[in-house]
Amino acid sequence: MVEKEPAKVAKKAAAKRVAGETAKPRKRAPKSQSRKITKPALLAGGNPQIAKADGDAPVQAYIAAMPGWKRDVGRRLDALIVRTVPGVRKAVKWNSPFYGVEGRGWFLGIHCFTKYVKVAFFRGTSLRPVPPDESKNKYTRYLDIHEDDQLDEAQLAS
């Protein structure tokens, strides 16, 4: 029986070679057509699902995927933060953009909900005026931005 094993393997290999020669070649779409560009999935409340990553690119992908009027709010907030905080550090964590300063941690996060964009100030209790909404964390405060709200960019920047 030991001698038959190599013979079986050889027969199978020969059969595969013959089958490969007679099989029709598979048609392939050109690379440009075979790769689909997909939009990020929207989670509950329209929050874009963006993979965790550091840098501006994932934050911009998140903002671009924000639905409707929320995208404009995201762009305005991002531009305001970049103008106000030199060398701001960006990342997407837990499907939300985070903004911080190297060596000092994160100071702000953004998250989409059905009817508003929630801005989390991680050291919000130290701000004047203190943002209106409380958190489970005693230092964090929130500001909810609704569709028709007017942003006071000067106050946000300060």
Side-chain angles (χ1 to χ4, degrees):
M1 268 205 172
V2 174
E3 293 177 20
K4 289 183 180 178
E5 289 299 319
K8 284 183 180 178
V9 172
K11 283 183 182 179
K12 283 184 179 179
K16 284 184 181 177
R17 280 194 301 272
V18 170
E21 291 171 5
T22 60
K24 292 182 181 178
R26 291 174 46 189
K27 292 183 181 179
R28 289 187 177 172
K31 279 190 175 183
S32 62
Q33 292 177 358
S34 65
R35 294 183 187 183
K36 273 188 172 178
I37 298 173
T38 59
K39 289 184 177 183
L42 294 180
L43 303 173
N47 195 51
Q49 184 176 22
I50 302 290
K52 178 180 173 181
D54 290 318
D56 184 55
V59 171
Q60 295 308 317
Y62 178 95
I63 292 168
M66 291 171 79
W69 63 268
K70 297 172 192 170
R71 185 176 312 116
D72 293 332
V73 170
R75 286 183 186 136
R76 287 181 65 192
L77 289 170
D78 183 72
L80 177 65
I81 294 165
V82 169
R83 281 193 316 265
T84 306
V85 183
V88 68
R89 183 174 158 218
K90 299 180 185 183
V92 170
K93 297 174 177 291
W94 304 285
N95 293 311
S96 297
F98 277 61
Y99 296 85
V101 175
E102 188 68 40
R104 297 182 64 195
W106 304 108
F107 63 84
L108 186 136
I110 300 171
H111 195 86
C112 284
F113 286 91
T114 303
K115 297 185 180 199
Y116 59 93
V117 175
K118 182 175 284 296
V119 180
F121 297 93
F122 301 126
R123 294 184 199 108
T125 55
S126 67
L127 300 174
R128 297 296 173 255
V130 174
D133 298 328
E134 294 182 8
S135 169
K136 291 178 185 177
N137 179 306
K138 67 180 182 177
Y139 302 108
T140 301
R141 299 292 288 207
Y142 299 114
L143 172 66
D144 295 344
I145 302 171
H146 296 84
E147 184 172 9
D148 296 325
D149 289 350
Q150 297 297 316
L151 285 180
D152 185 346
E153 290 189 12
Q155 185 177 6
L156 281 169
S158 70

